[in-house]
Amino acid sequence: LRHRIVDKMAVLLETTLGDLVVDLYTEERPRACLNFLKLCKIKYYNYCLIHNVQRDFIMQTGDPTGSGRGGESIFCKLYGDQARYFEAENVPRIKHKKKGTISMVNNGNDQHGSQFLITVGENLDYLNGVHTVFGEVTEGMDVLMKINEAFVDKEFCPYQDIRITHTVILEDPFDDPQDLQIPDRSPEPTKEQLDSGRIGADEEIDDSKGKSTAEIEEVSAEKEASTRAILLEMNYCLQDRNLNVYRLEICQMQR
């Protein structure tokens, strides 16, 4: 029997490329959804980089350090470092079938913190049973596809910053924990938060300025060749099924 998602709650993720509306599976994944909603509520995700974009596969974010190795659950805020991660919810099983599926990232020990991924490909069966599906993008698929087209380096990090700028909870069925510190308003970003060492999200890039038609075509060809090489490398890694599933290019958080 196909599992039917019966209860959804929504969050608006504002990014530097546009807005995404996410519906959450609060009945099927109560702990993951509570974690995500309360992190949104304390503005934990504000200014997080989308630090990993693999075309037609996944995009990953939710790490305030931007390294892919940071982040912590809402339970850490309440109970200390021993609660940095929480156990994955595996029942009922929900698969990564369609674009826009949102999952908590596995830290390598079947636990989750704050990082999450959103699929930009379909039928990604090798993610099933590893990363925990807890929602889906229901509006803003055009924005998701813009993110999917980002130019990235060999570690799949976009050359130009793409960030979550703000989160808005549209519906939340969970009571706030008693000791949860909720800010009165969204905090301003610090200089350190915005200094990724890359091209800023608000910087305009004009590769054609001062170049001839031939030079513009050469730059374009170089970008396409670089993207093709990255995709070939990614496909090779995905086909190497004899290695552990964590060899997938998703950045795994380290304890």
Side-chain angles (χ1 to χ4, degrees), residues 5 23-25 28-30 32-33 89-90 92-98 100-105 112 117 119 124 127-136:
I5 305 300
D23 278 359
L24 303 178
Y25 305 154
E28 294 80 6
R29 298 288 188 262
C33 289
E89 296 164 294
N90 299 316
R93 188 174 185 184
I94 308 173
K95 297 182 178 181
H96 297 79
K97 281 190 172 183
K98 56 187 177 181
T101 299
I102 180 169
S103 296
M104 295 303 300
V105 172
H112 305 307
L117 65 84
T119 61
L124 303 178
L127 301 182
N128 297 334
V130 180
H131 308 284
T132 302
V133 176
F134 70 100
E136 63 183 276

Side-chain angles (χ1 to χ4, degrees), residues 11-237:
V11 171
L12 173 67
L13 300 179
E14 298 177 5
T15 81
T16 51
L17 291 184
D19 297 346
L20 302 170
V21 175
V22 174
D23 278 359
L24 303 178
Y25 305 154
T26 56
E27 184 173 291
E28 294 80 6
R29 298 288 188 262
R31 198 161 178 81
C33 289
L34 183 148
N35 177 66
F36 182 75
L37 283 163
K38 302 313 175 184
L39 287 174
C40 288
K41 196 159 194 174
I42 66 171
K43 306 304 179 186
Y44 186 86
Y45 290 126
N46 284 26
Y47 308 107
C48 278
L49 283 171
I50 294 174
H51 62 267
N52 181 19
V53 177
Q54 299 182 45
R55 190 169 295 186
D56 299 330
F57 183 37
I58 60 98
M59 57 145 280
Q60 184 176 347
T61 185
D63 173 9
T65 73
S67 67
R69 297 182 294 275
E72 58 193 25
S73 76
I74 195 66
F75 308 108
C76 184
K77 300 291 185 184
L78 298 169
Y79 310 119
D81 289 343
Q82 72 273 15
R84 181 181 178 188
Y85 302 113
F86 64 96
E87 296 299 319
E89 296 164 294
N90 299 316
V91 178
R93 188 174 185 184
I94 308 173
K95 297 182 178 181
H96 297 79
K97 281 190 172 183
K98 56 187 177 181
K99 293 178 182 178
T101 299
I102 180 169
S103 296
M104 295 303 300
V105 172
N106 193 320
N107 73 345
N109 294 295
D110 292 329
Q111 296 175 319
H112 305 307
S114 61
Q115 291 192 47
F116 62 93
L117 65 84
I118 302 177
T119 61
V120 285
E122 298 177 338
N123 297 315
L124 303 178
D125 293 340
Y126 27 82
L127 301 182
N128 297 334
V130 180
H131 308 284
T132 302
V133 176
F134 70 100
E136 63 183 276
V137 174
T138 53
E139 295 180 39
M141 292 300 294
D142 57 329
V143 175
L144 194 59
M145 291 303 101
K146 282 184 189 177
I147 297 171
N148 185 48
E149 296 297 319
F151 284 105
V152 299
D153 63 18
K154 64 181 181 180
E155 295 179 347
F156 303 101
C157 183
Y159 286 113
Q160 183 169 24
D161 290 348
I162 308 171
R163 294 181 183 273
I164 296 172
T165 56
H166 191 53
T167 57
V168 180
I169 298 174
L170 305 179
E171 296 179 79
D172 181 359
F174 303 110
D175 293 334
D176 293 332
Q178 184 176 353
D179 297 325
L180 187 66
Q181 300 296 313
I182 301 171
D184 295 331
R185 59 181 180 175
S186 295
E188 292 295 322
T190 64
K191 183 179 179 180
E192 289 74 21
Q193 274 183 302
L194 299 181
D195 185 12
S196 66
R198 294 174 177 260
I199 302 169
D202 58 351
E203 292 184 50
E204 291 189 13
I205 304 173
D206 187 356
D207 288 341
S208 64
K209 189 174 183 180
K211 291 185 172 68
S212 66
T213 300
E215 288 173 327
I216 294 170
E217 290 176 351
E218 182 180 355
V219 170
S220 178
E222 288 176 353
K223 286 182 177 180
E224 290 180 6
S226 176
T227 299
R228 284 198 298 271
I230 289 169
L231 288 173
L232 284 172
E233 183 180 351
M234 181 183 76
N235 288 335
Y236 174 80
C237 289

